[in-house]
Amino acid sequence: MSNVIDFGRMSCPLPLGERDRVLLGHGSGGKMSAELIQNTFLPAWDNPVLSALEDQATLDLSSWVRQNGNQTPRLAFTTDSFVVQPLFFPGGDIGKLAVHGTVNDLAVGGAIPQFLSAAFILEEGLLIDDLRRIVASMRAACADAGIMLVTGDTKVVNRGKGDQIFITTSGIGWVPAGRTLSIHHARPGDRILISGTIGDHGVTIMSQREGIEFETVLKSDCAPLNGLTEAMLEACPQIRCMRDPTRGGVSSSLNELATASKVGIKLQESRLPIRREVRGACEMLGLDPLYVANEGKLIAVVPAEATDKVLDAMRRHPYGKDAAEIGTVVADHPDMVVLKSVIGGERVVTMLAGEQLPRIC
Amino acid sequence: MSNVIDFGRMSCPLPLGERDRVLLGHGSGGKMSAELIQNTFLPAWDNPVLSALEDQATLDLSSWVRQNGNQTPRLAFTTDSFVVQPLFFPGGDIGKLAVHGTVNDLAVGGAIPQFLSAAFILEEGLLIDDLRRIVASMRAACADAGIMLVTGDTKVVNRGKGDQIFITTSGIGWVPAGRTLSIHHARPGDRILISGTIGDHGVTIMSQREGIEFETVLKSDCAPLNGLTEAMLEACPQIRCMRDPTRGGVSSSLNELATASKVGIKLQESRLPIRREVRGACEMLGLDPLYVANEGKLIAVVPAEATDKVLDAMRRHPYGKDAAEIGTVVADHPDMVVLKSVIGGERVVTMLAGEQLPRIC
């Protein structure tokens, strides 16, 4: 008897055409689950921690502790579920998004991403080939970000009780000593920087759904930001705070920041980097780019005197080449984000009230 | 302006009767998401790490390092998705299951559970009251297990694209120095112990679905096992391995163990603790109790000479009072689990081939 199960041929014959789809039995915890793990997940992530197939991954911190002058490590820990539709879109797919989304939540806290978990909820009938494509994309995304997938889970729900695939990733990172970035730390006088153009991800997804075509190919900005954040923190260890403006967009991230730090924020509309296609699509669809999700962008709050140094560091990095200073932290109107428009007027930018683009990530 | 959003009354009036259900907007990342977090999740888990509302939880390990004689900590990390139906059942609900399932995956590895994340995928239309009940149950389950929920996420999918609620939890625990439990460590001569009656959870769920009633109330065994594992490891630090036989049941756990350790396993059917109601229901439904899921039981492989000591420690613990020795690790028939039946015959117990009870956890 062998651990490599020959599912679908000998042990469990299936009608032709059904072989290449996820079945309820793949979530049983028995032979078919073992087969799915052996043939689909393990080949993508061949590392000794995952391959041990224990119920939990055991992680040795001693090399990290040595590298950091024997200081006790602080851990960063985060989780996100991904339910985006369509599963595949220009610039990425649900798998890449699930890896980089969690990497970015660690990175914007000043943490160095180390370990990832992935839990899959599959709908019966999902094409195994689609699952393989997603897993391959996650593998590449892990390599890109330098994070190791160490533990996972798979459940299967009946047809019509899910939507092909949902992925939940959790991540662990180390926070080097002395780093205390926090949304509570913005102070009047600080500058607001953005790492690049806004709205690319949300408009890409929306265009796919609505069948809108552009002259040029608009792509999701989905990318891992941990290299960029390290370069920024090297240039200025005193960065107050970073956020990745995903769901709810730039407006929601800045409103959360204004509330947490009890400050006001003044934005300059003329300085917001927005692609022409994104601006056009937003006008056509009635969307405000400030509310549209980004998946490879960050907002940073930096002391005024460090602005140029941080901007320089950002622009030298591939994921920060379009970085811009877009606003200022002020003592006036605490809790409020105010936009100075191109034509000179001012308007309050509130948090997203209802739902603009469901299932964007 | 205030961070406490008055959803459904002022900012976003809704038709009566729709107020008390999850809407797509609750997954927007904007005001309605903030409201759901403020009113539903934060009141249940009032701890400074979670309440900071950063994108990631930062965890300080220094007190743990001090307690452990300044040794570098080893971390255990695990994840599981929970998709059980029905959401509420005798003895538990999806929330309790999601907390204790992850606690147990840490505990059976010899880890001391510390931090938990929870990611919710909600179907539009879920009753907010059901969500509150589930969150309250998770809160109680966290307190029971002594684990702290430190980070979370919520997504909402359209009606018909999910099934009320799916929960993915991930857990971090410390592994004290010297503990190296592993499914690769079973040796011929070792004894197989089980912490109590088998099949209670699976048969409870199945009975709920099929509308079967018992004379006595049959309940899921859903429970946190970290207290029990600590008592057992105190009695015998040389325990080879522990597993919680959830999906796939005792047979799948033991088959995985036999394969990983390259040993055979001999089970005594007469020694398997099974409730009368569970045995009856299994006969009626055509189920084999060895394949039915448990959610508050563990299997331990212990050196023969430590059997009585470990069994004593188990029986003194509330979650181990029905503990029993059920079999032996043998050098014969490696990779194979063989059951000696009550009437004297022998049969090979293979891994679960297809799906017996979908969505049991």
Side-chain angles (χ1 to χ4, degrees):
Chain A
M1 291 177 72
S2 153
N3 195 31
V4 182
I5 308 297
D6 193 4
F7 149 69
R9 275 168 286 255
M10 292 177 53
S11 59
C12 180
L14 290 166
L16 206 72
E18 284 291 304
R19 276 186 192 160
D20 48 359
R21 290 185 181 271
V22 169
L23 303 169
L24 275 176
H26 286 122
S28 66
K31 276 186 191 178
M32 289 173 66
S33 296
E35 187 272 346
L36 191 71
I37 292 169
Q38 288 288 346
N39 295 352
T40 308
F41 295 109
L42 287 190
W45 287 293
D46 186 20
N47 70 61
V49 188
L50 190 66
S51 306
L53 292 179
E54 307 280 351
D55 276 340
Q56 68 301 114
T58 303
L59 315 170
D60 189 344
L61 310 197
S62 53
S63 72
W64 188 87
V65 171
R66 272 197 305 277
Q67 278 169 41
N68 284 270
N70 292 313
Q71 301 216 31
T72 303
R74 281 181 309 150
L75 292 183
F77 183 29
T78 189
T79 194
D80 260 322
S81 290
F82 295 84
V83 300
V84 68
Q85 271 291 345
L87 300 180
F88 303 95
F89 46 82
D93 57 65
I94 190 172
K96 184 179 179 187
L97 209 58
V99 173
H100 291 165
T102 287
V103 162
N104 293 349
D105 275 346
L106 294 172
V108 296
I112 301 171
Q114 300 286 329
F115 302 111
L116 192 75
S117 69
F120 298 84
I121 298 174
L122 309 179
E123 185 192 5
E124 185 186 13
L126 173 70
L127 285 169
I128 297 276
D129 273 351
D130 281 348
L131 179 60
R132 289 220 175 95
R133 263 177 82 189
I134 290 164
V135 167
S137 163
M138 291 178 79
R139 176 199 192 154
C142 284
D144 251 16
I147 197 166
M148 191 193 284
L149 188 128
V150 292
T151 191
D153 182 50
T154 309
K155 295 289 190 306
V156 181
V157 296
N158 332 56
R159 236 178 252 263
K161 299 295 184 182
D163 198 6
Q164 298 184 281
I165 180 169
F166 302 140
I167 306 176
T168 303
T169 50
S170 301
I172 296 178
W174 314 142
V175 187
R179 286 192 188 166
T180 54
L181 288 85
S182 165
I183 50 167
H184 301 271
H185 288 178
R187 299 177 206 170
D190 289 347
R191 297 296 190 266
I192 314 280
L193 312 182
I194 186 124
S195 63
T197 54
I198 66 173
D200 299 6
H201 175 76
V203 167
T204 301
I205 298 291
M206 207 60 193
S207 306
Q208 289 286 308
R209 289 197 202 142
E210 304 286 325
I212 299 170
E213 291 192 9
F214 300 99
E215 286 169 35
T216 52
V217 177
L218 185 66
K219 289 198 305 187
S220 165
D221 55 347
C222 181
L225 296 174
N226 49 331
L228 179 63
T229 55
E230 283 306 303
M232 292 167 67
L233 284 162
E234 201 173 299
C236 174
Q238 297 77 32
I239 290 176
R240 315 283 193 212
C241 162
M242 296 187 281
R243 297 287 271 190
D244 56 332
T246 56
R247 267 190 304 175
V250 168
S251 70
S252 294
S253 289
L254 290 180
N255 270 284
E256 282 169 20
L257 183 73
T259 301
S261 289
K262 301 185 177 62
V263 294
I265 289 174
K266 269 201 156 58
L267 284 184
Q268 298 283 342
E269 190 176 25
S270 60
R271 296 190 174 185
L272 292 172
I274 307 179
R275 282 182 207 284
R276 203 170 50 86
E277 309 90 295
V278 170
R279 198 184 292 278
C282 280
E283 276 167 17
M284 191 167 17
L285 297 164
L287 301 173
D288 182 337
L290 283 170
Y291 292 100
V292 178
N294 310 276
E295 290 292 341
K297 297 292 154 40
L298 61 79
I299 292 167
V301 183
V302 301
E305 64 277 13
T307 308
D308 290 342
K309 213 170 160 185
V310 178
L311 269 179
D312 275 357
M314 293 169 85
R315 288 174 181 156
R316 276 197 301 270
H317 194 279
Y319 297 134
K321 62 182 169 46
D322 298 320
E325 182 188 337
I326 58 170
T328 314
V329 178
V330 296
D332 304 343
H333 55 76
D335 276 9
M336 223 184 267
V337 180
V338 173
L339 181 81
K340 190 161 183 200
S341 75
V342 178
I343 52 164
E346 288 198 344
R347 69 175 170 97
V348 175
V349 179
T350 56
M351 273 186 97
L352 182 60
E355 177 57 288
Q356 195 185 37
L357 302 168
R359 300 183 59 188
I360 208 71
C361 62
Chain B
M1 291 176 75
S2 153
N3 195 29
V4 182
I5 309 296
D6 193 4
F7 150 69
R9 273 169 286 256
M10 291 177 52
S11 57
C12 177
L14 290 164
L16 207 72
E18 284 291 304
R19 277 187 192 162
D20 48 359
R21 289 184 183 271
V22 169
L23 303 170
L24 274 176
H26 285 122
S28 65
K31 276 188 190 177
M32 288 172 67
S33 297
E35 187 271 347
L36 192 71
I37 293 168
Q38 288 288 346
N39 295 352
T40 308
F41 294 110
L42 287 188
W45 287 294
D46 186 20
N47 69 61
V49 188
L50 190 66
S51 306
L53 293 179
E54 307 280 351
D55 274 341
Q56 69 301 114
T58 304
L59 314 170
D60 188 343
L61 311 196
S62 54
S63 72
W64 188 85
V65 171
R66 271 198 305 279
Q67 277 169 42
N68 284 270
N70 291 314
Q71 301 216 30
T72 304
R74 280 182 308 150
L75 292 184
F77 183 29
T78 190
T79 194
D80 260 323
S81 290
F82 294 85
V83 299
V84 68
Q85 272 288 348
L87 300 179
F88 303 95
F89 46 81
D93 56 67
I94 190 171
K96 184 179 178 186
L97 210 58
V99 173
H100 290 163
T102 287
V103 162
N104 293 348
D105 275 346
L106 293 172
V108 296
I112 302 171
Q114 299 285 329
F115 302 111
L116 192 75
S117 69
F120 297 85
I121 298 174
L122 309 179
E123 185 192 6
E124 186 187 13
L126 172 70
L127 286 169
I128 297 275
D129 272 353
D130 281 350
L131 179 60
R132 290 223 173 93
R133 262 177 84 189
I134 290 164
V135 167
S137 164
M138 292 179 79
R139 175 197 192 156
C142 284
D144 251 17
I147 197 167
M148 192 193 284
L149 187 127
V150 291
T151 190
D153 182 50
T154 309
K155 294 289 189 304
V156 181
V157 296
N158 331 56
R159 235 178 253 262
K161 298 295 183 182
D163 199 7
Q164 298 184 282
I165 180 169
F166 302 141
I167 306 176
T168 302
T169 50
S170 301
I172 296 177
W174 315 141
V175 188
R179 286 191 188 167
T180 54
L181 288 84
S182 166
I183 51 167
H184 301 270
H185 288 177
R187 301 177 204 171
D190 289 346
R191 298 295 190 266
I192 314 277
L193 313 182
I194 186 126
S195 62
T197 55
I198 66 173
D200 299 7
H201 175 76
V203 167
T204 301
I205 298 291
M206 208 57 192
S207 307
Q208 289 286 308
R209 290 197 201 143
E210 304 286 324
I212 300 169
E213 290 193 10
F214 300 99
E215 285 169 34
T216 53
V217 178
L218 185 65
K219 288 198 305 187
S220 164
D221 55 348
C222 180
L225 296 174
N226 50 331
L228 178 64
T229 55
E230 284 306 303
M232 292 167 68
L233 284 162
E234 200 173 301
C236 173
Q238 296 78 32
I239 291 175
R240 313 283 193 212
C241 164
M242 297 187 280
R243 297 288 270 189
D244 55 332
T246 56
R247 268 189 302 174
V250 168
S251 71
S252 294
S253 289
L254 289 179
N255 271 285
E256 282 170 19
L257 183 72
T259 301
S261 290
K262 301 183 176 59
V263 294
I265 289 175
K266 269 200 155 56
L267 284 184
Q268 297 284 343
E269 188 175 26
S270 61
R271 294 189 175 186
L272 291 172
I274 307 179
R275 284 182 205 283
R276 203 171 50 84
E277 309 91 294
V278 170
R279 199 184 293 278
C282 280
E283 278 166 16
M284 190 167 18
L285 297 164
L287 302 173
D288 181 338
L290 282 170
Y291 293 99
V292 178
N294 311 277
E295 291 291 341
K297 297 293 153 42
L298 62 80
I299 292 168
V301 182
V302 301
E305 64 276 14
T307 308
D308 290 343
K309 213 171 161 186
V310 178
L311 269 179
D312 275 357
M314 292 169 86
R315 289 174 180 155
R316 276 197 302 269
H317 194 280
Y319 296 134
K321 62 183 171 44
D322 299 320
E325 181 187 340
I326 59 171
T328 313
V329 178
V330 296
D332 304 343
H333 54 77
D335 276 7
M336 222 185 269
V337 180
V338 173
L339 181 82
K340 189 160 183 200
S341 75
V342 179
I343 52 166
E346 286 198 345
R347 68 173 170 98
V348 175
V349 179
T350 56
M351 271 185 100
L352 182 60
E355 177 56 288
Q356 196 185 39
L357 301 169
R359 300 184 58 187
I360 208 71
C361 63

